[in-house]
Amino acid sequence: MKLPSRSVALPEAEASPEPSVETGDAGSFEALAMPLFAPLYNFAHWLTQNREEAEDLVQEAYAKALKGFASFSPGTNFRAWMYRIVRNTFLSSRSGLRAAATVPLDEEGNEEAALLALSETPESLLLARADQEMIRVALEQLPLPFREIILLCDLEEMSYREIATSLQLPLGTVMSRLSRARAAMRELLQRELRRTSHEL
Amino acid sequence: MNCEWLVRLDGYVDGELSPEKRAQYEQHLRDCPSCASTALSRLQMKRGIRAAAAGRYRPSAELRFRVARMTSPRPRASFPWLPQFSLAVAALVLVMVAAALWLARSRPADFASELLDLHVSTLASANPVDVLSSDRHTVKPWFEGRLPFAFILPNLQEAPFRLIGGRLTYVQQAPGAQLLFGLGKHQISVFIFQQSVRQLRSSTETRELGFTIDTWTQDGLRYAAVGDTEPAQIRALRQLFQAAHSNKP
């Protein structure tokens, strides 16, 4: 079993090997970063599940990004870069460390497991009845690595490649974790739906 | 049920398949009712998650204000020499303020006390403002013809402050504007006078009875903000005025 590498380092060593030229003027940073403010805050709050922590996280991440902007190579994905900083900042915080430690991820040698995750009972009927509130609760209960990948994919509508950059994971792991995360999400919802239908 | 095509369902739902693979997949969905129903439910789930999570948490105006100020081009980033420079400026300002204080003695304190009195009596009044409006385009024109000068009211959309209204006021027999702002439960007065009103030249921040009084000059006018909030918030309000002035067309 190999844990996915989860570096909490700052993005200095980002993507492009060529030395970035003097691009780091604050004006262009503002123009790139401020439109992401509301979605990044939403994402941060989903990660921390706490307003105060989310506020500190966003502020700290923006400060780090501003500082490290000179190392951002233009042409690469700025959005993924920002999400990555938010997430790494969160993971290096105390509650982030705790959240990341909640689930063991055995993602290697997962072919059968991934297939198993795909074969469940007729889900369409049951899941069609899941309402927004139920989905919200399920998302909140999802372990952090699953929650964040689902948010990046379904909410932020990032491509697998962008997700790989944001989460610093190989593309293959992105796909297998996403599949697993969705299976976990469906399981939570089905459990919840069965419970409520019993109560009726 | 355990169709081999399910392995690529995520890729299909997330739009990650190449056009050819996508066409193949759609052909399969037409032939396989089980996969078609699963695909439909996955698409619904994806949409449901988006609807449930999007904009679920909204940042406060105050946080936006703080972050925007940090990222606006003014901050240091491109001025590595700024720390030393600002230290020198701070020392110089300190000397100047000390000298000015020594020269002016009690005058600024009197001025500050007068403003503080005005602020407190305004808050205590049953009709604190002559023009009651949160719309700067209502408040500012109201002063036209009532004052021998014009001033700029900042746009507060991104800021934590709200405009309550304004009134005419007099300090040292000179007419001026008093604008009332709200911040949470606190109220802050911003006074605007012509420069002929006597007091300190440079910007000062004084504290009296738990109130902060911040004065500055811009556009040939004297400004003073008075309130019982954190001094940093008074400064933030001042910066809004100063920014509005420098953004003037």
Side-chain angles (χ1 to χ4, degrees):
Chain A
M1 185 184 99
K2 210 175 94 197
L3 283 171
S5 66
R6 212 190 268 122
S7 149
V8 289
L10 259 184
E12 254 98 43
E14 166 58 325
S16 148
E18 75 217 41
S20 63
V21 226
E22 267 294 294
T23 50
D25 76 294
S28 54
F29 176 78
E30 188 187 28
L32 286 168
M34 281 320 284
L36 296 174
F37 175 70
L40 275 173
Y41 176 80
N42 187 37
F43 180 66
H45 200 146
W46 270 108
L47 293 185
T48 59
Q49 300 286 305
N50 173 304
R51 172 163 290 276
E52 240 168 79
E53 277 183 51
E55 291 193 338
D56 290 349
L57 171 55
V58 167
Q59 196 170 350
E60 195 183 337
Y62 267 86
K64 281 186 183 172
L66 181 62
K67 223 166 133 195
F69 188 54
S71 76
F72 172 76
S73 19
T76 59
N77 193 312
F78 182 76
R79 183 167 73 134
W81 186 72
M82 284 299 289
Y83 275 85
R84 175 164 151 186
I85 295 174
V86 167
R87 177 185 177 262
N88 282 349
T89 306
F90 175 59
L91 285 184
S92 57
S93 75
R94 196 181 304 172
S95 56
L97 286 172
R98 214 181 310 125
T102 50
V103 76
L105 290 165
D106 50 344
E107 278 169 322
E108 311 302 318
N110 52 6
E111 288 311 305
E112 301 104 84
L115 269 175
L116 256 179
L118 293 169
S119 65
E120 359 43 24
T121 39
E123 52 186 57
S124 31
L125 287 174
L126 211 50
L127 291 180
R129 287 180 19 229
D131 60 15
Q132 277 200 12
E133 188 50 36
M134 221 174 255
I135 293 179
R136 251 175 225 166
V137 172
L139 267 177
E140 280 162 14
Q141 288 172 352
L142 224 46
L144 177 73
F146 288 170
R147 197 188 322 142
E148 64 180 6
I149 200 167
I150 284 189
L151 288 171
L152 292 182
C153 185
D154 293 349
L155 169 64
E156 308 302 338
E157 295 187 312
M158 283 190 181
S159 68
Y160 290 173
R161 194 160 292 287
E162 273 182 291
I163 298 175
T165 308
S166 301
L167 301 184
Q168 290 155 280
L169 291 173
L171 210 53
T173 311
V174 167
M175 292 192 261
S176 58
R177 187 182 294 179
L178 188 59
S179 157
R180 220 173 271 281
R182 284 176 168 161
M185 180 82 186
R186 287 193 295 273
E187 210 181 301
L188 276 172
L189 282 171
Q190 281 171 334
R191 209 185 304 155
E192 183 60 21
L193 282 161
R194 279 199 202 96
R195 199 177 61 76
T196 50
S197 60
H198 282 313
E199 278 171 12
L200 284 177
Chain B
M1 177 67 222
N2 214 339
C3 181
E4 56 184 315
W5 287 77
L6 276 181
V7 180
R8 269 188 279 148
L9 182 53
D10 278 321
Y12 171 71
V13 166
D14 296 327
E16 292 275 335
L17 298 185
S18 66
E20 307 93 85
K21 290 246 169 82
R22 187 176 177 81
Q24 283 171 18
Y25 209 94
E26 278 166 355
Q27 183 55 50
H28 171 71
L29 290 183
R30 277 191 281 275
D31 300 338
C32 174
S34 153
C35 276
S37 118
T38 310
L40 180 69
S41 110
R42 297 288 171 88
L43 279 167
Q44 282 172 338
M45 178 62 61
K46 188 177 167 82
R47 237 175 283 140
I49 287 171
R50 187 177 156 74
R56 166 92 170 101
Y57 303 112
R58 293 179 197 282
S60 66
E62 210 231 319
L63 179 69
R64 180 185 285 275
F65 180 64
R66 258 188 286 153
V67 171
R69 203 171 42 176
M70 179 170 71
T71 60
S72 81
R74 261 173 303 141
R76 20 249 74 157
S78 42
F79 303 100
W81 42 264
L82 203 67
Q84 292 94 313
F85 182 68
S86 53
L87 213 66
V89 169
L92 192 65
V93 166
L94 206 68
V95 169
M96 280 165 60
V97 167
L101 273 176
W102 188 78
L103 286 173
R105 285 289 162 85
S106 59
R107 253 166 46 203
D110 291 350
F111 180 64
S113 301
E114 198 173 342
L115 294 181
L116 180 54
D117 291 349
L118 276 172
H119 175 65
V120 173
S121 58
T122 302
L123 297 192
S125 152
N127 302 305
V129 288
D130 296 333
V131 49
L132 178 76
S133 171
S134 61
D135 181 3
R136 62 191 177 124
H137 300 300
T138 305
V139 172
K140 192 181 168 262
W142 183 87
F143 285 102
E144 279 169 18
R146 291 182 165 89
L147 286 176
F149 57 86
F151 54 88
I152 292 167
L153 249 173
N155 182 357
L156 297 174
Q157 234 157 34
E158 307 275 59
F161 306 98
R162 58 182 196 283
L163 181 60
I164 296 169
R167 67 193 291 267
L168 268 188
T169 190
Y170 290 87
V171 167
Q172 295 168 7
Q173 289 81 49
Q178 181 180 1
L179 303 162
L180 207 57
F181 294 89
L183 178 70
K185 288 192 173 147
H186 300 278
Q187 299 195 332
I188 303 169
S189 285
V190 173
F191 296 91
I192 309 170
F193 297 98
Q194 276 174 301
Q195 258 208 310
S196 54
V197 174
R198 293 177 305 137
Q199 30 26 60
L200 265 184
R201 281 289 134 101
S202 56
S203 297
T204 56
E205 194 184 89
T206 38
R207 243 154 270 168
E208 203 175 323
L209 305 169
F211 287 82
T212 301
I213 301 137
D214 195 357
T215 69
W216 70 97
T217 306
Q218 71 185 61
D219 218 7
L221 297 172
R222 290 294 308 172
Y223 286 73
V226 184
D228 59 349
T229 60
E230 294 285 310
Q233 286 162 333
I234 303 266
R235 277 197 293 277
L237 185 57
R238 173 179 72 180
Q239 279 156 1
L240 279 174
F241 270 92
Q242 289 170 329
H245 174 229
S246 55
N247 290 338
K248 183 177 62 164

